[in-house]
């Protein structure tokens, strides 16, 4: 295979012959909307959103099926055609033979360079692709160098098919929508302005202008143009054998027009003669704007090699600076991989969960869960900017504790559901509290809990079980009082409603109902009697964490009281008998949601903060007691684990079933993370997971064992082949959360095993077949799938910073509590991390002169810029917030000696 190699400190990498590996693609994007996927042969697509695709939308299978790709042709000496992207019929024919081009791909954050050398034509070409951070234009910068010993003459052709419409039109009136195209050439390229956006639910006038522009490196314009696909490929031709190139069609001049056909951003440049080692260069711009003046302005901005090179340098610097976390361990490849893991949350912020070839579902945007988990990484890299974002996000919570599931454009804009289907994911209330807890610890801003935020309102009511017939669009999307005023409540109130409604919505086993699904979206067929033990454990942990947050708020309060919506009183009744009485719990929940069905009173009642904390702890303790006994499965040979779910027939889904074992990772993760599992149980869980779920060769811990059943009473996942996606793949997100939970509870070697195996598999290109980063999952043969856009990246980053290196906040103070193993220190017996905290930049260096593991060493000495720091209990360092804010804006070095 063609092994991947890192080439600089930023994680930039190189791979030889990338076209010999299937399904490779690389993401490019700007901060202003344009998103592209680029393959080693410059296939892929480019789009602004679902309705605005510049290039034809592609799914993963299209990467080898579809010949409609970005291309740049050279016609040598008037006879021999050659594609600098490798996408010609002749070059495809020579692939895997001695005459295959030598190719090399180098790439870094938001840029890719393809270098190709032709043995036949004696030339070397490069194509650098990138998108400036603040412009919606994809730039291709092409160089061609003559490697022969004689002068060669070349004629260059740019060739980019312009799709120019909604992704829906791929299978909905593809031909009809081409009839809307109005195409014209100007002196620098081809412009396409469809007359309308075709939609039988309601056609809309179109203003978007799609374009492909080009020039030579010195700004010279093309000679002639081929504005339609038919003009370029010719009768019977193809994109990989276009007759316009092979037969030297003359093309059309500037100011030509065409209409009603598939558009083509193709044009020919004047011939050039290159002496030996001489180079020619070209610039191609692909984009969309609403006016021709904006297109002209962009062209003027990037119409020389010098301008493009400056933009390329700026783009690289911008994205490199965004990733302001650096790791140094004993393995540089792992450290470089972590650069990409830390970059992935930026990609998900820009792409959402759609718009890459494997992510061929949805219509853009992120989901509720994604919104909150992506904040985790932002809190570690730029926490000061996240508070306002978090506050606005709470505006997606309904007064009944459910929430809008899709994030609209911009912070604080929400959509009830992508497909207009009323659904409740029972885990959704979990993530806001987790993120807010991290925010408070990183910043010390407990007062965010008092911030007043409105509630989301639509026709969905009674926790998704009924329709509010009185609601209409004129009511608006914010909850109102009986007096028709928009109601706002504190973030603390939002959190209480979310956690308490989840606590009371239980099934036949007094476990939280599964409803539409939980984190595992594929557990979607048990809405009546399904229950999620996994997330009941998680909610028990959340109740304890919320109690701790309330105590912190109380310690900083002058009144020690808070005001909450009057209706919440019923959820806070301290009837401990109700905790074990399912019918009472149902009645309490029904009473509450009935009072909030359409409007609410708007009246507030004062509560003691300390009493609230006690109330939550009582509920959490009772939950955990039940879970530890009712859901524990004792196995042989020191094994055991928690049942994770009940199916729609009310049956526990895990345990020993004849000659096979059913075990799921999710229940173990949240039992450990929440504190439900006791230390002895964790030991048994780890032993069981290693026995039944761990497969080192494919990434580590599978999500579940093979159930050998199509469980239509639990979820669609069981229809997938075993080892694919949610059915037994190594699902990175849950594996990383398993590692995080183990670290949090002090099981460091077990946690590192989970992280390390994931990383090793990702870095083993022969197995994973992916560029650097963590994919959504590794399938049964170890191939990484659904790359880049996964919440696993944020959790991996969180775990490495706060648990492995132990650099974390606690009520705004900086805590250093490393859990490094001896194998993670370099030859000089050091490991280090560079990370921002409290608006300052720190490099934390750990020295382990005796090469001890966590648990065997103590902290002997610590200093910041040479000033000694206090070591607490020989195990951790705490630096008060006041000391941090008094530091200069320089980078500060903290040294910690382990003994």
């Amino acid at each position: 295979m063609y092994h991947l190699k890192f080439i600089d400190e930023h994680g930039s990498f190189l791979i030889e012959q990338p076209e010999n590996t299937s399904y490779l693609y690389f993401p490019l994007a700007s901060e202003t909307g344009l998103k592209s996927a680029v393959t080693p042969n410059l296939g892929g697509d480019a789009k602004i959103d679902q309705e605005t695709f510049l290039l034809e939308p592609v799914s993963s299978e299209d990467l080898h099926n579809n010949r409609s790709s970005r291309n740049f042709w050279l016609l040598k000496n008037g006879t021999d055609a050659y594609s600098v992207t490798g996408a010609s019929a002749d070059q495809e024919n020579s692939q895997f033979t001695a005459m295959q081009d030598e190719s090399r791909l180098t790439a870094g954050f938001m840029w890719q360079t393809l270098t190709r050398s032709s043995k036949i034509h004696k030339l070397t070409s490069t194509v650098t692709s990138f998108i400036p951070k603040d412009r919606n234009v994809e730039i291709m910068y092409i160089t061609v160098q003559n490697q022969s010993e004689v002068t060669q003459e070349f004629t260059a052709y740019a060739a980019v098919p312009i799709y120019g419409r909604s992704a829906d039109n791929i299978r909905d009136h593809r031909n009809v929508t081409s009839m809307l195209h109005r195409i014209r050439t100007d002196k620098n390229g081809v412009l396409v302005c469809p007359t309308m956006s075709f939609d039988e639910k309601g056609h809309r006038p179109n203003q978007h202008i799609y374009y492909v522009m080009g020039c030579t490196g010195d700004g010279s314009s093309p000679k002639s143009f081929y504005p339609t696909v038919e003009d370029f490929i010719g009768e019977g031709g193809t994109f990989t054998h276009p007759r316009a190139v092979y037969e030297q069609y003359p093309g059309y001049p500037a100011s030509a027009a065409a209409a009603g056909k598939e558009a083509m951003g193709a044009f020919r440049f004047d011939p050039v003669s290159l002496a030996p080692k001489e180079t020619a260069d070209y610039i191609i711009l692909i984009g969309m704007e609403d006016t021709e003046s904006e297109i002209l302005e962009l062209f003027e901005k990037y119409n020389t090699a010098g301008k493009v090179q400056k933009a390329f340098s700026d783009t690289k610097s911008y994205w490199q600076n965004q990733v302001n976390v650096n790791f140094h361990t004993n393995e540089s490849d792992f450290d470089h991989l972590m650069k990409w893991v830390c970059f992935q949350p930026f990609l998900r912020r820009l792409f959402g969960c759609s718009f890459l070839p494997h992510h061929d579902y949805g219509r853009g945007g992120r989901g509720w869960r994604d919104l909150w988990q992506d904040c985790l990484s932002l809190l570690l890299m730029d926490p000061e900017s996240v508070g306002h974002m978090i506050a606005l996000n709470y505006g997606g919570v309904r007064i009944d504790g459910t929430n809008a599931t899709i994030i609209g454009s911009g912070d604080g804009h929400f959509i009830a559901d992508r497909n207009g289907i009323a659904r409740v994911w029972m885990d959704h209330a979990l993530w806001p509290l987790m993120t807010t807890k991290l925010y408070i610890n990183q910043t010390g801003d407990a007062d965010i809990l008092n911030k007043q935020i409105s509630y989301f309102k639509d026709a969905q009511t009674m926790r998704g079980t009924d329709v509010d017939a009185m609601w209409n669009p004129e009511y608006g999307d914010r909850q109102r009082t009986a007096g028709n005023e928009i109601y706002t409540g504190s973030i603390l109130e939002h959190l209480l409603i979310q956690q308490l409604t989840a606590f009371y919505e239980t099934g036949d086993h007094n476990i939280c109902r599964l409803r539409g699904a939980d984190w595992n979206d594929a557990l979607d067929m048990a809405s009546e009697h399904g229950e999620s033990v996994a997330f009941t454990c998680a909610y028990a942990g959340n109740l304890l964490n919320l109690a701790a947050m309330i105590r912190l708020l109380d310690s900083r309060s002058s009144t020690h009281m808070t005001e909450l919506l009057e209706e919440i009183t019923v959820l806070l009744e301290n009837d401990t008998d109700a905790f074990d009485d399912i019918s009472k719990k149902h009645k309490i929940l029904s009473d509450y949601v009935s009072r909030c069905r359409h409007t609410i009173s708007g009246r507030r009642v004062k509560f003691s903060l300390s009493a609230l904390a006690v109330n939550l702890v009582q509920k959490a303790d009772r939950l955990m007691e039940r879970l530890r006994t009712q859901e524990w499965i004792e196995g042989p040979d020191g094994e055991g684990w928690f049942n994770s779910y009940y199916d729609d027939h009310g049956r526990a889904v895990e345990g020993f079933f004849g000659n096979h074992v059913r075990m799921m990772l999710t229940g173990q993760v949240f039992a450990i993370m929440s504190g439900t599992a006791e230390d002895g149980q964790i030991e048994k869980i780890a032993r069981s997971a290693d026995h039944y779920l761990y497969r080192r060769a494919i990434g580590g811990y599978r999500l579940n064992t093979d159930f050998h059943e199509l469980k239509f009473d639990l979820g669609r996942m069981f229809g997938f082949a075993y080892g694919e996606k949610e059915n037994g793949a190594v699902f990175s997100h849950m594996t990383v959360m398993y590692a995080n939970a183990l670290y949090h509870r002090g099981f460091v070697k077990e946690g590192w095993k989970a992280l390390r195996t994931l990383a090793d598999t990702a870095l083993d290109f022969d197995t994973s077949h992916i560029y650097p980063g963590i994919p959504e999952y590794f399938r049964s043969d170890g191939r990484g799938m659904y790359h880049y856009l996964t919440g696993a990246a944020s959790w991996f980053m969180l775990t490495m910073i706060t648990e492995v290196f132990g650099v974390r906040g606690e009520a705004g103070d900086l805590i250093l509590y490393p859990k490094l193993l001896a194998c993670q220190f370099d030859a000089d017996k050091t490991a280090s991390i560079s990370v921002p905290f409290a608006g300052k930049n720190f490099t934390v260096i750990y020295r382990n002169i005796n090469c001890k593991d966590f648990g065997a060493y103590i902290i002997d000495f610590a200093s910041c810029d040479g000033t000694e720091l206090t070591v607490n209990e020989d195990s951790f360092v705490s630096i008060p917030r006041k000391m941090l804010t008094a530091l200069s804006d320089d980078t500060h070095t903290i040294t910690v000696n382990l003994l």
Side-chain angles (χ1 to χ4, degrees):
M1 290 294 294
Y2 308 93
H3 295 279
L4 187 145
K5 177 183 177 182
F6 292 105
I7 58 175
D8 66 25
E9 63 184 13
H10 302 292
S12 303
F13 63 90
L14 175 154
I15 181 172
E16 307 283 351
Q17 306 299 151
E19 70 273 20
N20 287 358
T21 300
S22 300
Y23 300 108
L24 289 180
Y25 52 84
F26 193 77
L28 306 175
S30 76
E31 294 274 19
T32 52
L34 182 59
K35 298 167 279 287
S36 296
V38 187
T39 72
N41 292 117
L42 270 66
D45 60 22
K47 78 292 293 180
I48 301 292
D49 53 34
Q50 177 76 5
E51 303 297 324
T52 317
F53 271 74
L54 289 69
L55 309 184
E56 182 178 316
V58 298
S59 184
S60 55
E61 291 304 309
D62 296 316
L63 299 181
H64 48 252
N65 290 341
N66 195 338
R67 293 180 287 191
S68 177
S69 64
R70 311 164 183 85
N71 212 330
F72 195 87
W73 293 84
L74 300 174
L75 187 65
K76 188 181 77 170
N77 300 326
T79 56
D80 299 322
Y82 176 75
S83 166
V84 304
T85 72
S88 77
D90 292 334
Q91 287 159 280
E92 287 184 359
N93 189 53
S94 65
Q95 194 171 358
F96 310 116
T97 73
M99 299 312 295
Q100 179 176 352
D101 293 344
E102 294 178 359
S103 66
R104 169 183 295 181
L105 184 141
T106 54
F109 302 152
M110 299 297 195
W111 65 270
Q112 168 186 299
T113 296
L114 173 67
T115 302
R116 183 173 292 276
S117 296
S118 171
K119 302 171 185 177
I120 298 173
H121 299 293
K122 307 295 183 185
L123 58 85
T124 296
S125 61
T126 67
V127 183
T128 297
S129 300
F130 69 99
I131 299 175
K133 68 177 178 65
D134 54 357
R135 292 289 188 272
N136 285 333
V137 57
E138 181 186 315
I139 299 177
M140 294 167 55
Y141 178 60
I142 301 120
T143 69
V144 182
Q145 185 178 58
N146 179 10
Q147 299 292 352
S148 75
E149 297 180 358
V150 298
T151 297
Q152 298 194 84
E153 183 176 278
F154 300 95
T155 300
Y157 296 76
V160 182
I162 301 174
Y163 176 75
R165 50 202 188 267
S166 168
D168 296 337
N169 299 132
I170 280 288
R171 289 293 300 162
D172 183 9
H173 296 90
R174 170 71 189 260
N175 181 248
V176 167
T177 50
S178 71
M179 301 175 193
L180 306 174
H181 284 178
R182 299 298 185 266
I183 312 164
R184 76 172 191 84
T185 63
D186 84 352
K187 66 175 184 177
N188 296 308
V190 179
L191 297 87
V192 184
C193 184
T195 56
M196 68 175 67
S197 176
F198 187 95
D199 185 341
E200 289 186 308
K201 291 180 291 187
H203 307 306
R204 303 178 303 280
N206 170 69
Q207 303 297 324
H208 299 327
I209 304 172
Y210 305 87
Y211 66 87
V212 176
M213 311 291 279
C215 61
T216 63
D218 63 6
S220 299
S221 300
K223 179 71 171 178
S224 62
F225 304 86
Y226 309 89
T228 71
V229 170
E230 294 174 21
D231 292 332
F232 184 66
I233 67 173
E235 194 70 30
T238 67
F239 285 126
T240 56
H241 196 109
R243 296 183 67 180
V245 175
Y246 282 82
E247 299 177 29
Q248 303 178 59
Y249 286 4
Y252 294 91
S255 300
K261 296 180 179 179
E262 293 287 353
M264 188 75 194
F267 36 83
R268 172 171 56 88
F269 292 93
D270 281 326
V272 295
S273 293
L274 296 182
K277 303 302 180 183
E278 189 176 3
T279 300
D281 55 357
Y282 302 87
I283 300 160
I284 307 300
L285 308 179
I286 307 167
M288 186 282 295
E289 298 292 343
D290 286 339
T291 66
E292 292 191 16
S293 62
E294 291 173 302
I295 297 172
L296 178 60
E297 178 186 348
L298 273 171
F299 181 76
E300 292 294 329
K301 187 175 180 67
Y302 303 113
N303 65 351
T304 68
K307 294 177 181 179
V308 168
Q309 289 163 355
K310 173 67 164 54
F312 180 45
S313 177
D314 291 346
T315 299
K316 290 204 294 185
S317 295
Y318 175 78
W319 290 111
Q320 288 167 1
N321 291 336
Q322 295 300 299
V323 181
N324 55 2
V325 178
N326 293 290
F327 298 89
H328 173 75
T329 65
N330 67 318
E331 290 197 28
S332 61
D333 278 1
F334 176 84
D335 301 338
H336 290 131
L337 175 72
M338 285 306 303
K339 297 294 286 188
W340 285 96
V341 172
C342 295
F343 183 62
Q344 284 180 243
F346 291 99
L347 293 174
R348 198 159 73 166
R349 176 171 61 83
L350 297 171
F351 281 83
C353 294
S354 306
F355 299 139
L356 284 178
H358 276 110
H359 298 80
D360 55 357
Y361 50 81
R363 305 178 68 83
R366 289 175 293 168
W368 180 258
R369 196 181 300 125
D370 313 320
L371 175 74
W372 293 97
Q373 294 191 92
D374 290 350
C375 283
L376 298 177
S377 61
L378 292 175
L379 283 169
L380 298 170
M381 291 190 283
D382 186 20
E384 309 305 321
S385 68
V386 181
H388 180 65
M389 183 190 309
I390 286 176
L392 291 177
N393 290 348
Y394 277 100
V397 177
R398 294 189 184 91
I399 200 71
D400 64 6
T402 64
N403 53 269
T405 62
I406 298 298
I407 313 309
S409 58
D411 295 332
H413 294 89
F414 302 95
I415 301 169
D417 187 83
R418 176 180 287 123
N419 301 311
I421 303 170
R423 285 182 287 191
V424 172
W425 277 264
M426 63 81 62
D427 68 304
H428 276 189
L430 182 79
W431 311 105
L433 192 147
M434 280 187 167
T435 301
T436 306
K437 175 176 177 282
L438 179 63
Y439 169 78
I440 291 172
N441 277 331
Q442 292 294 105
T443 65
D445 179 20
D447 196 53
I448 192 174
L449 295 174
N450 292 323
K451 192 169 183 63
Q452 298 290 305
I453 301 295
S454 61
Y455 289 83
F456 183 73
K457 175 62 181 173
D458 61 355
Q460 185 171 316
T461 191
M462 304 289 286
R463 290 187 63 79
T465 63
D466 206 349
V467 174
D468 179 2
M470 298 175 66
W471 181 88
N472 56 44
E474 287 70 35
Y475 181 107
D477 62 0
R478 290 190 287 176
Q479 179 68 53
R480 293 179 179 272
T481 67
N484 202 36
E485 295 179 342
I486 293 173
Y487 175 78
T488 62
S490 67
I491 286 178
L492 174 58
E493 181 183 282
H494 285 67
L495 287 167
L496 285 165
I497 290 172
Q498 288 183 298
Q499 311 313 307
L500 292 171
T501 51
F503 174 81
Y504 285 109
E505 188 172 28
T506 57
D508 296 338
H509 300 86
N510 209 356
I511 298 297
C512 296
R513 288 184 60 200
L514 182 56
R515 297 296 304 270
D518 63 9
W519 167 88
N520 188 338
D521 291 339
L523 295 174
D524 56 352
M525 300 173 73
S527 61
E528 294 298 320
H529 300 287
E531 296 168 79
S532 175
V533 179
F535 281 89
T536 303
C537 290
Y539 281 122
N542 257 20
L543 290 170
L544 291 179
N545 287 330
L546 184 53
M549 292 159 64
I550 291 171
R551 288 195 188 102
L552 176 63
L553 185 65
D554 188 30
S555 71
R556 299 180 178 182
S557 171
S558 59
T559 65
H560 306 288
M561 304 291 288
T562 188
E563 288 191 338
L564 302 174
L565 181 67
E566 182 181 75
E567 284 86 337
I568 296 174
T569 303
V570 66
L571 300 177
L572 290 168
E573 291 291 341
N574 205 18
D575 179 6
T576 55
D577 291 339
F579 298 171
D580 296 319
D581 189 324
I582 297 170
S583 61
K584 283 186 177 181
K585 290 177 88 171
H586 289 177
K587 183 179 186 305
I588 289 169
L589 181 62
S590 178
D591 286 350
Y592 172 71
V593 295
S594 295
R595 297 180 191 188
C596 304
R597 180 184 180 91
H598 179 60
T599 58
I600 55 178
S601 68
R603 295 186 294 272
R604 293 180 172 88
V605 178
K606 288 186 176 182
F607 287 85
S608 160
L609 288 168
S610 61
L612 281 177
V614 170
N615 186 300
L616 299 180
V617 170
Q618 289 177 331
K619 290 178 169 63
D621 287 347
R622 187 68 67 89
L623 257 186
M624 288 185 176
E625 287 172 14
R626 182 186 316 112
L627 290 162
R628 287 175 187 139
T629 55
Q630 177 179 303
E631 303 303 331
W632 180 253
I633 300 165
E634 189 70 28
D637 304 320
E639 295 177 351
W641 66 93
F642 283 88
N643 172 50
S644 299
Y645 296 97
Y646 289 89
D647 63 26
D648 220 28
H649 288 95
R651 300 172 300 194
V653 303
E654 295 179 56
F656 298 90
F657 290 74
N659 61 356
H660 69 276
V661 171
R662 293 182 176 180
M663 180 180 181
M664 304 180 84
L665 186 61
T666 310
Q668 319 324 313
V669 168
F670 290 106
I672 297 169
M673 185 180 289
S674 65
T676 301
E678 297 171 325
D679 285 355
Q681 291 176 313
I682 297 174
E683 292 174 1
K684 293 182 176 183
I685 289 170
R687 195 173 292 119
S688 302
D690 283 350
H691 182 185
Y692 300 113
L693 300 176
Y694 185 74
R695 299 294 181 271
R696 185 183 186 282
I698 62 169
Y701 293 94
R702 292 179 181 264
L703 199 54
N704 55 276
T705 57
D706 190 349
F707 278 34
H708 301 283
E709 179 186 354
L710 294 175
K711 278 192 70 62
F712 294 130
D713 59 358
L714 189 53
R716 68 176 186 262
M717 62 174 271
F718 297 100
F720 301 153
Y722 184 66
E724 294 292 335
K725 225 171 188 309
E726 289 94 344
N727 189 17
V730 175
F731 222 85
S732 299
H733 196 169
M734 195 52 64
T735 298
V736 175
M737 286 197 287
Y738 179 53
N740 181 278
L742 289 166
Y743 267 100
H744 184 65
R745 298 294 300 277
F747 289 77
V748 169
K749 290 182 179 178
E750 294 83 352
W752 178 239
K753 178 179 180 179
L755 292 179
R756 178 60 188 268
T757 311
L758 270 183
D760 284 350
T761 306
L763 286 167
D764 179 7
F765 190 80
D766 290 357
T767 299
S768 67
H769 306 290
I770 58 172
Y771 295 143
I774 294 295
E776 181 180 277
Y777 68 93
F778 296 97
R779 70 186 191 189
S780 57
D781 61 359
R783 182 184 283 270
M785 302 294 292
Y786 292 71
H787 200 9
Y788 297 116
L789 310 182
T790 168
S794 289
W795 274 90
F796 205 123
M797 182 180 173
L798 175 73
T799 305
M800 285 298 299
I801 295 173
T802 65
E803 294 290 347
V804 179
F805 279 85
V807 181
R808 60 180 177 83
E810 187 172 290
D813 297 338
L814 176 59
I815 304 295
L816 305 177
Y817 181 35
K819 298 176 184 175
L820 291 156
L821 297 172
C823 64
Q824 293 169 294
F825 290 83
D826 67 14
D828 295 325
K829 302 177 183 179
T830 67
S832 65
I833 182 173
S834 296
V835 64
F837 190 88
K840 313 296 180 181
N841 293 311
F842 294 92
T843 296
V844 181
I845 302 171
Y846 295 109
R847 303 190 188 281
N848 187 3
I849 59 173
N850 294 322
C851 298
K852 292 182 178 180
D853 281 335
F854 170 77
Y857 55 68
I858 63 171
I859 295 181
D860 177 55
F861 176 82
S863 66
C864 179
D865 299 334
T867 301
E868 185 173 353
L869 300 170
T870 300
V871 177
N872 300 275
E873 302 173 9
D874 293 334
S875 61
F876 71 95
V877 176
S878 177
I879 307 176
R881 191 80 177 187
K882 288 182 179 180
M883 181 184 293
L884 298 171
T885 55
L887 293 172
S888 69
D889 290 335
D890 300 325
T891 297
H892 301 276
T893 301
I894 297 175
T895 302
V896 180
N897 293 337
L898 307 175
L899 189 64

